[in-house]
Amino acid sequence: MSTSAIPSVLFVCVHNAGRSQMAAAFLTHLGDDRVQVRSAGSAPADTVNPAVVEAMLEAGIDISAETPKVLTTEAVQSSDVVITMGCGDACPYFPGKRYLDWQLNDPAGQGVEAVRPIRDEIERRIRGLLAELGIEPAA
């Protein structure tokens, strides 16, 4: 863990327009100020997937102002946990970091109906991650 008392989590997918944005939003929402959250993409898109924005609004979380960000070495180095979602070899590896790879369907090009089950699975995994970190989810 970092020297900070607050754990830091980085979510990475290729475009940073869907899965990693949903994961970061759920962890920010449920972790409150008790987790530092970042997300990035190895080849970021121009905008967040509109179906993802809509699906998250249905869950009460507005990510419409979010923008995809490029993955940097510094973001990985400053994170305690790095969760990849299909970025493959594009994700840098640093010893001493905890890496998890979440196999999730890619919402790219999908409508909101296809995004909902991905969103719900990400929320389930975020709740599990919070439990592993010893953090009670916010109401």
Side-chain angles (χ1 to χ4, degrees):
M1 292 294 234
S2 68
T3 54
S4 168
I6 298 175
S8 175
V9 179
L10 170 65
F11 296 99
V12 183
C13 66
V14 175
H15 301 298
N16 190 224
R19 296 166 289 188
S20 56
Q21 290 282 350
M22 288 190 282
F26 273 124
L27 187 55
T28 298
H29 181 74
L30 295 171
D32 211 12
D33 292 334
R34 297 163 294 164
V35 183
Q36 184 181 36
V37 183
R38 297 180 186 89
S39 71
S42 52
D46 292 330
T47 60
V48 174
N49 179 333
V52 166
V53 172
E54 184 178 343
M56 291 301 290
L57 272 175
E58 292 175 357
I61 301 173
D62 184 2
I63 63 169
S64 61
E66 295 297 326
T67 56
K69 294 165 272 318
V70 68
L71 176 64
T72 65
T73 300
E74 294 78 23
V76 177
Q77 287 178 315
S78 60
S79 298
D80 299 311
V81 181
V82 179
I83 300 175
T84 58
M85 304 169 171
C87 72
D89 294 337
C91 296
Y93 177 83
F94 294 96
K97 303 292 174 192
R98 179 174 175 209
Y99 287 87
L100 301 172
D101 185 44
W102 289 359
Q103 297 294 317
L104 296 160
N105 290 332
D106 189 348
Q110 304 291 319
V112 71
E113 298 80 19
V115 173
R116 286 183 188 119
I118 301 167
R119 173 202 64 201
D120 295 345
E121 176 61 15
I122 289 171
E123 181 181 8
R124 185 188 71 73
R125 291 181 189 206
I126 291 298
R127 289 180 180 278
L129 177 64
L130 283 167
E132 288 176 28
L133 295 172
I135 297 171
E136 187 71 27

